[in-house]
Amino acid sequence: MAYSDKVVEHYNNPRNVGSLPKEDPNVGTGLVGAPECGDVMKLQMKINPETQVIEEAKFKTFGCGSAIASSSLATEWVKGKTVEEALSIKNTDIVRELSLPPVKIHCSVLAEDAIKAAIGDWKKKHGIEVPVAEKVAH
Amino acid sequence: MSMPATSKTNAPAQDYFAIFGLPRKLWMERDALEQKYLQLSWKLHPDNFVNATEEERERSLRRSSELNDAYRTLEDPVARVEYLLSLENMRKEGEHKQQAPPELLEEVFELNESLDELREAKSAGSDLASLKSRLESAEKNFGEKLGEVDAQLQVTAREWDDALDRNADDVARRKIMGRLNELLNRRSYVRNLVVNVAKELGEA
């Protein structure tokens, strides 16, 4: 499988690898997996409770190059965004940016899920109601 | 997963169960399957087509490669379930979301981290004893999990066969297939880990 240049770039120089303290009330953690390939992805964000701006984002992914690139890109994109803005990131945006082939689309789905899961976790910590189906930002 | 190739002669491709003249049931007798396989292979053997036309020879070749795929798939109980689900459009890949249970994800993640640590310790030449014993117990734990999943798969496969026998409705069938799908997901996670752990421990 030939990876696109952008995937290779993220794979060789992944951004924001690492972890944030899970217990920190301002940190949201999303752990998601794609059983068909055995990938697991952990994405964490530190969110300012006043401004709702994502100040820091870290990830750790065990999986293929596309999964690593998708999560690396996701952390880059969410940094500096508000929670609402981050929730509007779609897996198709990631597919386009990284030129993922159809067989690797699930990697981008995983990254989108991880963003939603991390924000959902943070909201839960702050007692914010999480809608059943996250609405697309207005 | 490869689906039966559509034959160029426009004849509808038979599914693997049909090739063996079997209903879409999950329990099968291995010996009987093998016997049937040998029988069908023999019929398609090139020796029987010495005087045949070019077209007939080509077709027999194609059918014999289909037969081999069919046998390899049905002979393996897990591949058989996967194949059944793909036939029934219940095993979608790509965009379709297949989530693993959260508590399993935690364990999978932690074990992957231990594997990473072992790799790093190995390349740094540090002491591996404690890491190794931790991984060995993880290997055992996941090996047991794999056994549990396989046992559940067997039970659920029997439920599927029963559902076919009593002509259960679509809803009931889909429910069972959904469970089979979940079990396969769980299995692929656990199995990948068991393989990785065994590999790292073997090299340590």
Side-chain angles (χ1 to χ4, degrees):
Chain A
M1 154 98 45
Y3 284 124
S4 74
D5 291 348
K6 277 187 180 147
V7 170
V8 174
E9 220 278 299
H10 273 280
Y11 182 75
N12 289 331
N13 309 295
R15 324 311 192 246
N16 313 310
V17 176
S19 59
L20 297 168
K22 213 177 149 182
E23 293 74 29
D24 186 331
N26 294 333
V27 169
T29 301
L31 182 62
V32 294
E36 59 262 52
C37 48
D39 291 355
V40 246
M41 188 182 282
K42 187 166 86 176
L43 206 145
Q44 294 183 301
M45 305 173 186
K46 190 172 183 166
I47 301 166
N48 185 321
E50 314 282 300
T51 57
Q52 302 225 337
V53 167
I54 297 160
E55 292 176 338
E56 239 185 295
K58 295 273 181 204
F59 85 94
K60 192 150 189 193
T61 293
F62 297 102
C64 66
S66 304
I68 289 166
S70 297
S71 32
S72 171
L73 179 67
T75 56
E76 260 197 334
W77 276 357
V78 298
K79 259 212 241 178
K81 284 202 167 73
T82 64
V83 166
E84 275 313 303
E85 286 165 347
L87 284 173
S88 72
I89 295 172
K90 288 270 151 286
N91 84 292
T92 44
D93 303 332
I94 297 170
V95 171
R96 223 172 300 126
E97 176 69 17
L98 297 174
S99 324
L100 294 179
V103 289
K104 292 293 180 185
I105 286 174
H106 64 263
C107 298
S108 67
V109 176
L110 214 54
E112 186 191 321
D113 283 354
I115 295 174
K116 298 219 158 88
I119 291 175
D121 181 51
W122 175 81
K123 282 187 173 172
K124 217 161 80 188
K125 282 183 178 172
H126 287 260
I128 304 168
E129 224 18 72
V130 183
V132 185
E134 280 286 5
K135 272 177 250 144
V136 180
H138 29 274
Chain B
M1 162 114 1
S2 67
M3 295 287 288
T6 357
S7 101
K8 285 180 193 111
T9 52
N10 285 333
Q14 279 187 306
D15 73 59
Y16 293 167
F17 292 94
I19 287 176
F20 282 93
L22 291 166
R24 288 187 182 178
K25 283 193 184 178
L26 289 172
W27 189 87
M28 26 184 103
E29 194 144 7
R30 273 252 173 85
D31 287 348
L33 188 74
E34 194 186 353
Q35 284 305 313
K36 185 86 187 163
Y37 168 65
L38 295 175
Q39 219 177 61
L40 291 168
S41 303
W42 184 79
K43 270 196 205 161
L44 292 169
H45 194 277
D47 283 359
N48 296 322
F49 292 86
V50 177
N51 299 318
T53 64
E54 180 82 3
E55 206 198 322
E56 278 173 323
R57 266 207 302 274
E58 255 175 38
R59 205 173 52 159
S60 74
L61 262 178
R62 213 161 44 229
R63 283 183 56 200
S64 109
S65 97
E66 264 173 36
L67 176 67
N68 290 332
D69 286 344
Y71 179 64
R72 259 198 308 273
T73 304
L74 293 186
E75 175 230 23
D76 172 5
V78 175
R80 195 187 301 155
V81 177
E82 267 179 7
Y83 180 70
L84 173 80
L85 294 180
S86 75
L87 270 186
E88 306 273 350
N89 280 321
M90 285 291 288
R91 193 145 178 89
K92 299 196 187 87
E93 282 174 31
E95 262 179 289
H96 189 75
K97 271 190 240 175
Q98 310 208 332
Q99 267 306 340
E103 79 287 354
L104 182 66
L105 273 181
E106 293 275 356
E107 282 183 79
V108 169
F109 196 84
E110 273 164 30
L111 186 53
N112 269 311
E113 278 192 320
S114 305
L115 278 174
D116 250 15
E117 274 175 53
L118 181 73
R119 283 185 208 113
E120 274 161 29
K122 247 191 272 176
S123 59
S126 25
D127 179 40
L128 305 175
S130 74
L131 261 172
K132 268 182 86 167
S133 78
R134 202 164 81 205
L135 276 170
E136 268 156 12
S137 73
E139 186 185 28
K140 196 169 153 263
N141 170 24
F142 275 83
E144 280 162 15
K145 274 205 172 74
L146 189 61
E148 281 164 30
V149 175
D150 282 343
Q152 283 171 329
L153 256 180
Q154 265 187 30
V155 171
T156 317
R158 236 171 281 144
E159 283 175 39
W160 166 258
D161 290 358
D162 287 346
L164 282 194
D165 279 340
R166 64 184 151 80
N167 231 332
D169 60 20
D170 215 43
V171 180
R173 287 189 195 194
R174 294 206 152 255
K175 222 167 141 183
I176 298 173
M177 285 194 284
R179 287 210 327 266
L180 285 168
N181 203 20
E182 263 166 46
L183 284 167
L184 284 183
N185 287 343
R186 222 186 157 89
R187 192 180 191 283
S188 79
Y189 249 135
V190 175
R191 214 195 73 92
N192 278 345
L193 276 178
V194 170
V195 171
N196 284 344
V197 173
K199 192 175 146 250
E200 293 293 334
L201 280 175
E203 289 168 3

